[in-house]
Amino acid sequence: MRKAFVAGNWKMNTDSHTGVALAKAVASGSSQVAGHSVTVAVCPPFVYLQSVAAAVSASHVAVGAQDLYFEPKGAFTGEISPSMLKDIGCTYVLCGHSERRHVIGETDELICKKVSAAISGGLLPILCVGELLEERDASQTEAVVSRQLKNGLAGLSVEKVSAATIAYEPVWAIGTGRTATRQQAQEVHDFVRKLLQQMYGDELAEEIRILYGGSVKPGNSAELMAEPDIDGLLVGGASLKADDFLAIIDSAA
Ligand code: PEP
């Protein structure tokens, strides 16, 4: 039985005060369900990770980073290592978010190194995959998602992959207000699970959590969560409003 998982990606938003206040509101508002019927995580900007981790330390809300670098230390100006993230209380880390793929220009190869380094460093990566609108229109969704998944996990053993969560985030649905329908999302989640089954076997495919992300709101979260292969939600914009994020958590619990 896969426990529901709701993660909030704050992107480049909040400040030192609003981030801590948001984290505290999420921790207190989700205290009945977080850690029990639903895994809850927030992913603030790097510079607020430590204060947010302190703000939620007495709760079951976990903290995730939005990115990391794959080297353990050294001359990599501006980068953050897995052990630094562990050191300040991070549990999760997003890898290959579409904004990093399409705005920053990260490749599948780089993303794979990050996933691998995250797992070796004791972090739980959330590998994001998803197609552009023109790729969906050209019926390439499965080809794109398959490539991102295979390349993003290349060379990793089934034991290592079991530390990962997958997030299907169609790029055309991120921050656009245009959510995939529950059927569109379920079709791709089913495809991803079957692909993971071929790659790593029944047990891994049965246990791994596949989140949906893309304009999730309190008004559509319950219907998405009702689909059999949607195990949770990766939430951007709506995770910045405590009431909305808490309503989404409740709908998943
Ligand atoms: C995201 O950032 O991963 C995301 C899904 O954003 P939004 O919910 O705003 O579409």
Side-chain angles (χ1 to χ4, degrees), residues 9 11 97 99 169 173-175 213-216 234-237:
N9 174 15
K11 312 193 188 194
H97 188 278
E99 286 144 23
E169 299 205 301
I174 298 181
S215 297
V216 174
L234 179 53
V235 186

Side-chain angles (χ1 to χ4, degrees), residues 5 12 19 21 32 64 90 96 104 127-128 139 145 151 171 190 223 229 233 243-244:
F5 184 2
M12 199 169 72
Q32 298 301 310
C90 268
I104 314 289
L127 171 62
C128 305
S139 303
V145 167
N151 293 345
V171 182
D190 175 62
E223 65 179 47
D229 289 294
L233 302 163
D243 289 349
D244 284 358

Side-chain angles (χ1 to χ4, degrees), residues 13-228:
N13 293 298
T14 68
D15 60 29
S16 58
H17 298 288
T18 58
V20 166
L22 177 58
K24 284 184 176 166
V26 170
S28 66
S30 66
S31 62
Q32 298 301 310
V33 292
H36 309 293
S37 51
V38 56
T39 304
V40 177
V42 292
C43 303
F46 280 132
V47 288
Y48 306 133
L49 279 168
Q50 201 160 5
S51 51
V52 165
V56 301
S57 62
S59 77
H60 288 283
V61 174
V63 174
Q66 298 173 18
D67 186 33
L68 82 173
Y69 197 58
F70 61 86
E71 294 285 0
K73 63 176 180 173
F76 303 102
T77 302
E79 297 295 343
I80 307 284
S81 72
S83 63
M84 290 172 180
L85 295 177
K86 276 293 275 186
D87 185 35
I88 55 150
C90 268
T91 304
Y92 294 94
V93 60
L94 302 179
C95 295
H97 188 278
S98 74
E99 286 144 23
R100 298 216 58 90
R101 290 179 189 270
H102 300 295
V103 182
I104 314 289
E106 289 194 4
T107 61
D108 281 335
E109 191 192 6
L110 175 60
I111 292 161
C112 182
K113 287 182 178 169
K114 292 185 174 192
V115 172
S116 177
I119 297 169
S120 300
L123 296 163
L124 304 175
I126 301 173
L127 171 62
C128 305
V129 299
E131 81 286 4
L132 297 163
L133 183 57
E134 57 264 36
E135 292 166 336
R136 173 161 282 263
D137 289 344
S139 303
Q140 289 170 354
T141 299
E142 292 189 353
V144 170
V145 167
S146 166
R147 189 203 72 223
Q148 292 174 338
L149 207 57
K150 286 181 177 161
N151 293 345
L153 299 173
L156 294 177
S157 65
V158 64
E159 289 74 28
K160 288 204 163 176
V161 175
S162 68
T165 297
I166 308 299
Y168 169 58
E169 299 205 301
V171 182
W172 47 272
I174 298 181
T176 59
R178 184 178 160 188
T179 322
T181 63
R182 56 193 287 182
Q183 291 86 355
Q184 285 173 321
Q186 167 59 25
E187 266 175 34
V188 182
H189 281 233
D190 175 62
F191 172 76
V192 167
R193 199 175 304 284
K194 289 190 172 131
L195 191 61
L196 291 168
Q197 185 181 29
Q198 286 165 23
M199 292 162 68
Y200 301 104
D202 292 347
E203 198 177 317
L204 182 288
E206 200 43 50
E207 283 173 8
I208 197 163
R209 292 185 288 189
I210 307 173
L211 316 185
Y212 168 79
S215 297
V216 174
K217 301 180 265 302
N220 59 24
S221 56
E223 65 179 47
L224 287 160
M225 285 303 296
E227 293 296 328

